[in-house]
Amino acid sequence: MSDLALSLDLFHFIRPWLLVLLPVIALLWWWVRRRLAPHKPPETAIAPHLARALTVGRASARRVLPIDGVALVLALTCLGAAGPTWSRVPDPFVAQTAPLVIALKVTPSMEAHDLAPSRLERSKQKIADLLALRAGARSALIAYAGTAHSVVPMTEDPHVLQPYLEGLSPDVMPGKGNATAAALELARSIMAKESAPGGILFVTDDIEAADVAALNGFQGASVAALAALPEGVGSAGIDQLTIPVQQVTVDDADITTLDRRLNAAYRRALAEQGNQPWDDRGWLLAWPAMLLGLFWFRRGWTMRWGAAALAALVLQPGTGRAEGVTDWFLTPDQQGQIAYDKHHFDRAGALFLEPMHKAHALYRDGKYDAVVETLAGIETPDAAFLSAMAHIKSRGYREAIADFQTTLDRDPNFPGAAQNLELAKKMLDFVETARVQSDTGEKTGEGADGVVLDNKDARGADTQIRGGEQGAKLLTADQWMNTVDTNTADFLRQRFAIEAAQK
């Protein structure tokens, strides 16, 4: 389903009862226009062609009248007030892109060179491009041939998948075959651990006939396929699929289409099952209403006094002046939402007046202390949860535990509160355990510089750890990978062989 079709399917009004005013506006328009229609002149002895020449206003019934514009402005205002919407307000704690499991077929047939440089290499390139397009989203990678194996579990960092993706080849697979059903079951088990609905993408050049029914009838996630085949080359199994199938293209049109299709079901699930408020788009209708209002200065248009009243209201002594043109049309919260949508979180945090929106913007901007100050005094589970997350980010584990507990006290079923409470307790216990080991002389590693741990539980002594000069320079990720004695392909070959033997 396309974005437009999904929006049309979810379209509704937040306050539909206001739509009852539309018939009233239509009746008013008809009544006023009927009164303004010219009356037929009485029959006289004047010749018809002279009567037509002497009659004024015969075409007024066909031209645009002031009441037409007024009725249109009122109708647009009524529709805007009813609150048209087709999506929910984005939740900053929930990713707006669906989690995705990518299942790549790694068989000798995928090494065919009819798709340059080969079917397998082109598939790897497409997967890398898709991961880059989904930057920040959760993705997992599966490789399958005669058996299916998890290459990389769910991760938000596409760079983690890249070396393992490059190391995949038919040589690392423990057995030959086309175990599509096994890969589907493995993908299902990975997706079952996710809290949000997601998608499964098969990148393959063929599907076994016995596995077609399993893919077509799969429930619980959106399934799609990227056909790693050159144009004009078909596959009997792929041709039987009823799930969305995208042919590989020379540009990014294929992965863009797949990403849009896989995310459509995810956005629908967030809209139908989410607890975020619906995003009121009525303000969009305010712009054409205001533009039509500009014609009220014309002769004969009604309510011209409105402009004079507005000017008097704005220019009267003691009235606050707008600092910019934007302030004439948008409230600070509306301006803050626009800045937030553009990821200008610092500006959004300064503009928002509503505390929760302001706190979300400050959280995304990394100003965690300001988040806690903004939420002080708001006694809702959402405020306590966001305050706890801000404490976690600033390493205030004790305060986070207290806020998570407050969240559960206010709403025992608040999503994620119980899990994060347990995680915060484990993090605090880890910090305290590390302090005890440091106080007793146990070596827990080098490299820290100027780290002071809290000691509210009096576990060990107050300790400040300083790394030596040799530990000041830590290895980068690339340097660390260069110290590994084996390459990715060897590692995957050994791991897959062990997993296949265990099965």
Side-chain angles (χ1 to χ4, degrees), residues 288-481:
M290 288 188 295
L291 290 176
L292 287 172
L294 295 177
F295 289 95
W296 286 358
F297 72 92
R298 293 178 60 85
R299 179 183 177 185
W301 279 64
T302 58
M303 293 183 286
R304 285 180 295 173
W305 51 268
L310 180 61
L313 181 64
V314 173
L315 299 177
Q316 64 179 337
T319 302
R321 305 296 179 85
E323 296 180 358
V325 177
T326 307
D327 295 331
W328 298 353
F329 304 100
L330 299 176
T331 66
D333 284 331
Q334 291 172 331
Q335 297 178 49
Q337 187 63 53
I338 294 174
Y340 188 93
D341 293 338
K342 294 181 179 180
H343 294 180
H344 299 159
F345 302 119
D346 54 343
R347 175 170 171 77
L351 288 171
F352 274 129
L353 298 180
E354 200 279 325
M356 285 302 299
H357 286 82
K358 187 180 188 70
H360 280 302
L362 293 172
Y363 182 89
R364 297 294 296 272
D365 194 34
K367 299 177 181 178
Y368 305 119
D369 292 338
V371 172
V372 177
E373 295 178 2
T374 303
L375 296 175
I378 303 178
E379 299 181 356
T380 64
D382 300 87
F385 185 82
L386 182 56
S387 179
M389 295 299 297
H391 282 305
I392 285 287
K393 291 290 188 178
S394 59
R395 300 183 182 181
Y397 304 121
R398 297 182 184 280
E399 293 81 0
I401 291 173
D403 283 340
F404 281 133
Q405 187 61 55
T406 302
T407 304
L408 292 173
D409 292 340
R410 295 172 179 172
D411 183 0
N413 299 320
F414 194 89
Q419 297 87 335
N420 281 282
L421 175 60
E422 295 301 320
L423 180 61
K425 290 180 178 179
K426 292 179 180 179
M427 296 170 71
L428 177 62
D429 184 68
F430 175 80
V431 171
E432 296 294 347
T433 301
R435 179 185 304 109
V436 171
Q437 293 175 344
S438 175
D439 293 343
T440 56
E442 298 180 24
K443 294 183 178 180
T444 57
E446 296 180 351
D449 187 9
V451 179
V452 180
L453 303 177
D454 61 11
N455 193 25
K456 294 186 178 180
D457 282 343
R459 296 172 61 177
D462 291 332
T463 306
Q464 184 172 1
I465 305 173
R466 294 189 178 276
E469 295 180 359
Q470 298 297 327
K473 295 183 178 180
L474 300 178
L475 293 177
T476 64
D478 293 336
Q479 292 172 336
W480 184 86
M481 289 297 294

Side-chain angles (χ1 to χ4, degrees), residues 258-270:
L258 280 172
D259 183 61
R260 183 169 59 250
R261 287 177 175 174
L262 290 169
N263 282 327
Y266 178 66
R267 289 193 293 270
R268 172 183 290 277
L270 290 181

Side-chain angles (χ1 to χ4, degrees), residues 72-355:
L72 184 57
V73 170
L74 292 177
L76 291 173
T77 304
C78 179
L79 291 172
T85 182
W86 51 88
S87 63
R88 292 186 181 271
V89 176
D91 188 344
F93 292 104
V94 176
Q96 300 305 305
T97 304
L100 177 65
V101 178
I102 303 173
L104 173 63
K105 183 185 176 187
V106 187
T107 62
S109 67
M110 290 287 286
E111 293 191 312
H113 296 284
D114 53 358
L115 192 65
S118 70
R119 296 180 181 179
L120 183 59
E121 291 304 317
R122 177 67 71 86
S123 299
K124 292 180 181 180
Q125 294 171 4
K126 290 297 181 180
I127 293 175
D129 293 340
L130 180 60
L131 294 174
L133 178 65
R134 292 167 37 84
R138 293 177 60 78
S139 305
L141 179 62
I142 291 175
Y144 71 96
T147 54
H149 304 272
S150 174
V151 180
V152 179
M154 280 290 183
T155 177
E156 298 177 358
D157 187 357
H159 299 291
V160 174
L161 284 83
Q162 191 62 37
Y164 294 96
L165 181 64
E166 295 174 354
L168 289 175
S169 67
D171 296 336
V172 306
M173 305 305 295
K176 297 181 180 180
N178 187 5
T180 305
L184 181 63
E185 179 61 23
L186 180 57
R188 183 204 62 77
S189 63
I190 295 175
M191 194 60 65
K193 301 176 183 178
E194 295 297 303
S195 58
I200 301 173
L201 174 63
F202 278 84
V203 184
T204 179
D205 61 350
D206 191 20
I207 302 290
E208 294 290 343
D211 298 330
V212 171
L215 288 175
N216 291 337
F218 186 78
Q219 301 292 331
S222 302
V223 183
L226 177 63
L229 294 169
E231 186 176 358
V233 177
S235 165
I238 292 179
D239 293 341
Q240 297 177 18
L241 293 176
T242 58
I243 61 174
V245 177
Q246 178 64 44
Q247 186 76 32
V248 169
T249 62
V250 296
D251 55 10
D252 293 339
D254 48 1
I255 62 173
T256 303
T257 302
L258 280 172
D259 183 61
R260 183 169 59 250
R261 287 177 175 174
L262 290 169
N263 282 327
Y266 178 66
R267 289 193 293 270
R268 172 183 290 277
L270 290 181
E272 294 178 349
Q273 305 171 12
N275 53 10
Q276 286 291 103
W278 287 98
D279 191 4
D280 192 340
R281 304 297 180 91
W283 60 272
L284 293 173
L285 298 175
W287 293 104
M290 288 188 295
L291 290 176
L292 287 172
L294 295 177
F295 289 95
W296 286 358
F297 72 92
R298 293 178 60 85
R299 179 183 177 185
W301 279 64
T302 58
M303 293 183 286
R304 285 180 295 173
W305 51 268
L310 180 61
L313 181 64
V314 173
L315 299 177
Q316 64 179 337
T319 302
R321 305 296 179 85
E323 296 180 358
V325 177
T326 307
D327 295 331
W328 298 353
F329 304 100
L330 299 176
T331 66
D333 284 331
Q334 291 172 331
Q335 297 178 49
Q337 187 63 53
I338 294 174
Y340 188 93
D341 293 338
K342 294 181 179 180
H343 294 180
H344 299 159
F345 302 119
D346 54 343
R347 175 170 171 77
L351 288 171
F352 274 129
L353 298 180
E354 200 279 325

